[in-house]
Amino acid sequence: MLPFRLFSKFGSFFTLVSVLALLFACTTTKKERTYSANELLQQGKRLAKEKETEEAKAKIQLLLEDYPDSKERTAATMLLADLHYSGEEYEEAKFHYQKFIELYPAHQFVDRAHFYKAKSSFKLTDLASRDLTPVHSALEGFERFVQDFPQSSYLKQAKAKITQCLDILAQNMFEIGKFYYRTGSYQAAILRLKRLKVEYPKHSYILEAEFLLGESYYHEQNFSEATAYYKTVIKNSPRSEFAKEARLRLKAMR
């Protein structure tokens, strides 16, 4: 009988321990969710203001997971995107701005989400890289923004960003054309520089591009085309160094 009694005592003991552990687990679970959606949002905002970015993201993520239908979700979604943007996590920022756009397409701040999504693409631009995909993506986003939100407070900034994107694309095209010219690939240089004139006619590199077109045609011994471009350079900027060089070329061809 003794072994049976011992077993009963130990069995009761383990049962008691299991019950207490379960109660403790339930109590712990409840304690982890003591903050309301509004409290989590305010904590996230405070931490963001204090530059405690990771802690702020954790609070906002908890809000989104625990209170998916709360009214605070709108502000939390935008704040999470902003936190990624300020942390230079631009791919993540784009994702969350897009999520805001999809969830709240008629929200009063949806223009802000569109603007910063495009700005995130622009921030991904690596000027040392030949991959201009982020620039094209940003340009498309800013141009769509200007079209869709003509009354937005971000309109002026968006237009400035469009100019920056066009400058980057134009400069890239010009540098490629100039490279072809320097390496003696004059036909390739002509094609690239002519395309520059068509696509970016008001860009600051146009004067030099016209001079290099004249030079490229000169080296190709197409003197009539060379003459036309030299005269254009002189007409458009008579006091420039390029005009001075163009006059010397014209004098030499007489």
Side-chain angles (χ1 to χ4, degrees):
M1 294 295 291
L2 184 59
F4 178 76
R5 288 178 182 176
L6 286 172
F7 177 78
S8 298
K9 287 180 179 180
F10 279 115
S12 300
F13 174 74
F14 285 121
T15 301
L16 179 61
V17 170
S18 299
V19 171
L20 289 173
L22 182 61
L23 289 172
F24 179 76
C26 292
T27 304
T28 303
T29 303
K30 288 179 181 178
K31 284 183 178 178
E32 288 177 352
R33 193 171 172 174
T34 54
Y35 297 113
S36 67
N38 183 58
E39 287 171 329
L40 287 170
L41 179 61
Q42 296 308 317
Q43 289 174 11
K45 287 181 177 179
R46 176 179 57 79
L47 289 165
K49 191 174 182 180
E50 294 171 356
K51 306 299 182 183
E52 299 291 343
T53 306
E54 293 305 315
E55 291 83 350
K57 283 192 286 190
K59 293 292 183 183
I60 298 304
Q61 198 64 54
L62 183 62
L63 187 162
L64 294 174
E65 291 172 1
D66 287 358
Y67 302 97
D69 300 319
S70 67
K71 64 179 182 180
E72 287 80 8
R73 181 181 179 85
T74 308
T77 303
M78 181 71 84
L79 179 56
L80 186 57
D82 288 345
L83 287 167
H84 282 294
Y85 182 88
S86 63
E88 299 183 358
E89 298 168 338
Y90 300 119
E91 286 289 2
E92 293 85 349
K94 282 178 64 178
F95 173 82
H96 289 290
Y97 286 127
Q98 179 60 33
K99 196 169 186 180
F100 185 95
I101 292 165
E102 292 172 357
L103 290 172
Y104 314 108
H107 194 274
Q108 61 176 328
F109 295 137
V110 73
D111 63 325
R112 185 180 186 280
H114 278 282
F115 176 75
Y116 274 94
K117 180 191 171 187
K119 200 172 179 182
S120 297
S121 292
F122 184 80
K123 289 287 188 178
L124 287 167
T125 302
D126 181 1
L127 297 180
S129 171
R130 292 186 179 182
D131 182 14
L132 296 176
T133 303
V135 186
H136 286 289
S137 178
L139 179 61
E140 182 182 349
F142 287 126
E143 287 179 335
R144 190 185 306 117
F145 177 88
V146 169
Q147 181 178 349
D148 293 345
F149 303 100
Q151 304 302 320
S152 173
S153 59
Y154 296 98
L155 186 65
K156 186 176 180 180
Q157 293 183 61
K159 288 182 176 179
K161 286 297 179 185
I162 288 173
T163 300
Q164 281 186 269
C165 289
L166 292 174
D167 283 346
I168 292 170
L169 295 173
Q171 182 178 356
N172 177 264
M173 190 177 294
F174 172 74
E175 292 297 341
I176 293 173
K178 195 172 183 178
F179 170 78
Y180 285 140
Y181 171 77
R182 286 174 174 171
T183 56
S185 302
Y186 300 118
Q187 285 297 328
I190 289 168
L191 290 173
R192 190 69 65 164
L193 294 171
K194 276 190 169 182
R195 183 180 166 191
L196 175 72
K197 280 173 57 64
V198 171
E199 295 186 19
Y200 309 100
K202 296 182 180 180
H203 198 270
S204 59
Y205 292 100
I206 290 299
L207 182 66
E208 187 174 356
E210 288 174 335
F211 176 74
L212 291 178
L213 278 165
E215 289 287 271
S216 296
Y217 277 117
Y218 176 84
H219 289 293
E220 286 288 304
Q221 297 186 351
N222 188 336
F223 300 122
S224 61
E225 286 291 335
T227 298
Y229 278 106
Y230 289 140
K231 287 182 177 179
T232 299
V233 170
I234 294 168
K235 179 182 177 181
N236 291 338
S237 185
R239 296 181 181 276
S240 67
E241 285 297 317
F242 297 118
K244 181 180 178 181
E245 293 294 324
R247 289 189 185 95
L248 291 174
R249 282 294 194 197
L250 289 173
K251 186 177 180 180
M253 287 191 294
R254 288 175 186 170

